[in-house]
Amino acid sequence: MKHILTPIVLSLVLTACGGGGGGGSSPSAPVVSTAIPATLYDTSYKNFKSYPVDTYGFGTVVLGLGSFLKAGELSYFVATQNYSPDFQDLNTATTNSQYHSDFEFWTINSNNVKTKVSSVKGCLHPRKVVVADFNRDNIPDVFVACHGYDANPFPGEKSKLLLSNGYGNFTMSEPTDVGFFHGATAADINNDGYPDIIVTNSSSIANPVYALINQRNGTFLKDETRVLGLTNNLYFSAELLDLNNDSKIDLIVSGDEVLGADTKILYGDGLGNFGATSTIIPTVNGRGSVVDFTYVVNNGRRQLFLARPYDRTNAQGFFHGWAMQGYDLDSGATTVLADIVGRWEMWFVPKTRNGNIGVGPINDNTFYYY
């Protein structure tokens, strides 16, 4: 089933014009007083980590960045969660559309002025936004990993794909079966020029992390043969990036370490297969999962930063705090750079201070380096 996302008419920022396309009207380009340059990168990791979003005050949301509305200018996509399993039961949450997420596109300028351009109802529980040019039209598209009602019986749901038609018009479809899709990442893993998707699906016992291979026609084919060495189904996070500097995309995954889902680098063979060789990242006591990875090269040292929420094995409850782990990819040395009680952060980006490259949360100027 496909849906057409049609722009909201905002008289302050849009000028109406005739014509069709994408199943709705074709508005003119949003008026942005000062454009923020945006580049369309070859991996979803770069499309998120390459912008200085810490200065724009997004807050902790399911967020994607790119030139969605006009080539070369930064805009952003958010998926907002509108229900809580603490307050809405399964039937109410899944059948009442008011509790489903809102998928929204916004413009943003260098004066930090944000303007909503379009909105449509999405899945119940969005968890990860992946940005890549899946249909190769030079406008970024969006894949939203969704996992459904976040409590027993964890029924799962289908994830969403929004393919761009231009200026905020997107065709929405469901490229996955029903599952508990907590994480996703995208890059061209089979060298055909089209980005593919790796998903983490805790509903899949035998193959918890697998590929969705781009069929170059707006659809994807599930392929469970490309990720090796993972037998535990409690994997939640994943990123595709080159971690050993051999010009081949690698895959890093993490899940519930307490229950055996090791945080691993699964090295790629350049043909879209991962895990013939791998490295296990050391654990951090009481911080037994990873929600975000950030890779930097600091003064010639290849470093990985891992954001770890609390895991309920000590006095702090699950997600009632977080730690930042630094891991040196050359020496294997590791250290805890921060341990924050009482709140948690989910998304981090590279930052530079006084000649040092490190990381910090997307919504403040905090800086950690190793």
Side-chain angles (χ1 to χ4, degrees):
M1 182 178 182
K2 293 188 176 182
H3 306 273
I4 304 299
L5 174 54
T6 304
I8 296 172
V9 178
L10 298 175
S11 60
L12 293 179
V13 297
L14 297 179
T15 302
C17 65
S25 62
S26 295
S28 63
V31 177
V32 181
S33 61
T34 306
I36 301 170
T39 300
L40 185 54
Y41 295 97
D42 60 344
T43 69
S44 62
Y45 175 85
K46 293 178 185 176
N47 282 322
F48 182 76
K49 300 287 186 176
S50 300
Y51 299 111
V53 295
D54 59 303
T55 62
Y56 303 143
F58 289 107
T60 302
V61 294
V62 186
L63 172 71
L65 294 153
S67 54
F68 298 113
L69 307 177
K70 184 179 179 182
E73 294 182 0
L74 183 65
S75 49
Y76 69 101
F77 170 90
V78 293
T80 59
Q81 180 184 330
N82 294 325
Y83 89 106
S84 169
D86 294 329
F87 299 103
Q88 283 83 42
D89 61 67
L90 173 61
N91 182 66
T92 300
T94 54
T95 60
N96 192 327
S97 63
Q98 71 171 306
Y99 296 117
H100 292 194
S101 62
D102 294 305
F103 288 177
E104 301 175 346
F105 289 91
W106 293 68
T107 60
I108 181 171
N109 65 22
S110 60
N111 297 318
N112 199 26
V113 176
K114 304 179 182 71
T115 306
K116 186 193 296 185
V117 175
S118 60
S119 179
V120 69
K121 283 295 182 180
C123 57
L124 178 66
H125 197 134
R127 178 59 72 172
K128 177 76 179 290
V129 168
V130 173
V131 175
D133 187 9
F134 293 115
N135 58 0
R136 294 295 304 276
D137 64 354
N138 294 316
I139 303 173
D141 309 304
V142 174
F143 174 83
V144 185
C146 304
H147 64 50
Y149 194 74
D150 199 11
N152 282 322
F154 298 102
E157 65 180 325
K158 295 181 179 180
S159 294
K160 304 290 187 180
L161 177 69
L162 288 78
L163 290 178
S164 60
N165 297 319
Y167 294 114
N169 294 310
F170 283 75
T171 302
M172 186 162 66
S173 61
E174 297 174 330
T176 68
D177 298 327
V178 173
F180 196 92
F181 298 98
H182 194 283
T185 181
D188 177 14
I189 66 172
N190 61 353
N191 300 312
D192 68 351
Y194 283 74
D196 310 294
I197 304 170
I198 299 288
V199 294
T200 65
N201 179 9
S202 298
S203 297
S204 178
I205 303 299
N207 298 288
V209 182
Y210 54 82
L212 303 174
I213 301 300
N214 197 328
Q215 301 301 289
R216 297 178 285 181
N217 60 3
T219 66
F220 290 77
L221 182 65
K222 181 179 179 180
D223 188 335
E224 296 182 297
T225 69
R226 293 181 177 271
V227 181
L228 306 175
L230 303 179
T231 56
N232 189 303
N233 70 311
L234 295 177
Y235 277 92
F236 305 135
S237 304
E239 290 291 358
L240 286 164
L241 64 161
D242 182 8
L243 287 169
N244 59 356
N245 202 31
D246 64 354
S247 298
K248 299 174 183 177
I249 293 289
D250 305 308
L251 174 65
I252 183 168
V253 295
S254 179
D256 192 330
E257 293 174 341
V258 177
L259 296 180
D262 295 327
T263 300
K264 281 187 174 183
I265 301 172
L266 305 171
Y267 297 104
D269 64 359
L271 301 174
N273 305 298
F274 306 92
T277 59
S278 63
T279 296
I280 296 178
I281 304 296
T283 60
V284 174
N285 186 42
R287 319 291 181 254
S289 62
V290 178
V291 293
D292 196 28
F293 310 96
T294 308
Y295 169 67
V296 304
V297 179
N298 186 14
N299 296 318
R301 296 168 58 205
R302 297 181 305 116
Q303 298 172 327
L304 190 64
F305 293 84
L306 303 94
R308 292 177 167 275
Y310 291 2
D311 61 17
R312 290 181 295 199
T313 59
N314 54 22
Q316 287 79 35
F318 192 56
F319 281 89
H320 289 179
W322 59 273
M324 175 58 67
Q325 179 186 17
Y327 178 76
D328 191 300
L329 287 159
D330 296 309
S331 69
T334 185
T335 188
V336 175
L337 301 168
D339 200 338
I340 309 298
V341 179
R343 67 182 180 91
W344 67 284
E345 302 285 350
M346 194 158 183
W347 310 119
F348 290 78
V349 291
K351 299 183 181 183
T352 301
R353 297 285 189 275
N354 300 320
N356 292 307
I357 302 175
V359 302
I362 65 169
N363 58 351
D364 64 43
N365 288 314
T366 308
F367 176 66
Y368 304 100
Y369 76 99
Y370 179 30

